[in-house]
Amino acid sequence: MRTKNSATAPSSIAVTGGKAMPVAPAGTAVGGTLQAALGVAAFSLTFPATAWGLESFGPWSLVAVRSLLAALIAGVCLLALRVPLPARRHWAGLAVVAAGVVLGFPLLTTLALQTSTTAHAAVVVGLLPLTTALFSALRVGTRPSRTFWTAALAGAAAVVAFTVQQSGGALTTADLYLFAALLVCAAGYTEGGRLARVMPGWQVIGWALVLCLPLTVPVATVALSYEPVHLSWHGVTGLLWVAAGSQFLGMVVWYRGMAAVGIPKASQLQLAQPLLTLVWSVLLLGEHLTVAAPLTAAAVLVCIAVTQRARG
């Protein structure tokens, strides 16, 4: 039964794992993949932009202000379009999105980037697609095929091996932050992808950002008063990107893409994110890559192709 607010318009039904699951039309799937890919491209700039932002702001100030600015953008859009409040049954899911992708992941990765390079932090993104697929299987009940899981594990292994090698293989205190960030972000992605099937993706992240305002406003005020601020072109640019690009616009197309093609398949597109991040790190931060980069990129692209073709 279709509802008026449905974010997708399935044209057929497939039976997977004993359950009837909607199958998106081919055009919807292609558009959804493109939107999810745009989200990945936006996210790939998050770590370099955060590193820039840390040149001007402390970690707590950067996270609080980025969330506050993103919430202002979202709030203006919600008010301008006179979007009604979400149904009460959706607020718990929005709280998970808020805790995971608005607060948890940005804060934990920003704290990690104080002592970690962007290459090392990319380990989180390398494991995120697999973790998101696992959360999706537990929360939403998706049952990807064995081929899907094999390709996903192979892609995750390739990315982790590459990024760990780039960081010298040493485990640091930042790894605790990164591991925690991996878990909370996967939970937020999964819940956001589920909600994006019943409301527009931009409203999912928009309401999650607005939901955090009672916390981000006082935290931003206190953090800015205690942490030193040294404004620079890099710092301001980094802040604006993580607020508008990563925190809002990137999440809008990402959730729309997940709603169209499914959480597991969309999540596997993020296997390319660490490699894109490393490219930006070379161009924007002056970091150096080894010759293993193109080999890993080829392996990851093959894994992405397999996961996109696998039924699930």
Side-chain angles (χ1 to χ4, degrees):
M1 180 177 179
R2 298 182 186 176
T3 60
K4 185 178 181 180
N5 294 325
S6 176
T8 59
S11 61
S12 60
I13 299 293
V15 178
T16 305
K19 296 182 179 181
M21 301 292 290
V23 178
T28 302
V30 172
T33 300
L34 290 176
Q35 290 184 88
L38 286 175
V40 170
F43 299 154
S44 70
L45 278 163
T46 300
F47 286 170
T50 299
W52 273 9
L54 286 172
E55 294 179 14
S56 294
F57 303 91
W60 290 89
S61 299
L62 181 61
V63 172
V65 173
R66 73 176 270 186
S67 298
L68 178 57
L69 291 177
L72 292 176
I73 297 172
V76 169
C77 293
L78 291 168
L79 287 173
L81 297 175
R82 299 181 180 179
V83 177
L85 289 173
R88 182 178 299 179
R89 66 182 183 277
H90 297 321
W91 282 106
L94 289 171
V96 174
V97 175
V101 302
V102 176
L103 298 176
F105 187 79
L107 176 60
L108 292 166
T109 54
T110 299
L111 291 173
L113 285 170
Q114 288 188 290
T115 56
S116 173
T117 64
T118 55
H120 189 79
V123 172
V124 174
V125 181
L127 291 174
L128 191 54
L130 177 60
T131 309
T132 302
L134 289 171
F135 270 73
S136 174
L138 294 173
R139 178 68 177 90
V140 186
T142 55
R143 294 294 182 268
S145 66
R146 186 174 299 177
T147 301
F148 178 96
W149 286 117
T150 301
L153 287 169
V159 171
V160 170
F162 176 64
T163 50
V164 169
Q165 185 272 334
Q166 286 288 298
S167 64
L171 296 178
T172 67
T173 305
D175 291 320
L176 295 176
Y177 291 130
L178 297 173
F179 181 71
L182 169 70
L183 296 179
V184 299
C185 190
Y189 277 176
T190 300
E191 201 64 25
R194 185 187 67 82
L195 287 172
R197 288 185 172 273
V198 295
M199 68 173 70
W202 76 271
Q203 292 183 24
V204 173
I205 188 61
W207 286 118
L209 286 164
V210 171
L211 185 63
C212 292
L213 278 175
L215 181 61
T216 55
V217 170
V219 170
T221 302
V222 173
L224 287 172
S225 64
Y226 280 92
E227 292 180 334
V229 175
H230 305 288
L231 295 181
S232 67
W233 182 86
H234 273 182
V236 174
T237 301
L239 170 62
L240 293 177
W241 177 259
V242 293
S246 302
Q247 193 84 75
F248 184 65
L249 297 177
M251 293 303 302
V252 169
V253 292
W254 174 242
Y255 280 139
R256 285 176 60 89
M258 282 201 294
V261 301
I263 298 171
K265 284 191 175 183
S267 69
Q268 296 315 297
L269 292 173
Q270 280 199 305
L271 285 169
Q273 185 173 325
L275 303 177
L276 290 174
T277 297
L278 291 172
V279 171
W280 293 125
S281 298
V282 171
L283 297 177
L284 301 177
L285 303 177
E287 295 185 4
H288 300 283
L289 301 181
T290 67
V291 294
L295 296 178
T296 307
V300 167
L301 290 176
V302 170
C303 292
I304 291 176
V306 173
T307 59
Q308 294 306 299
R309 289 180 176 275
R311 295 176 63 87

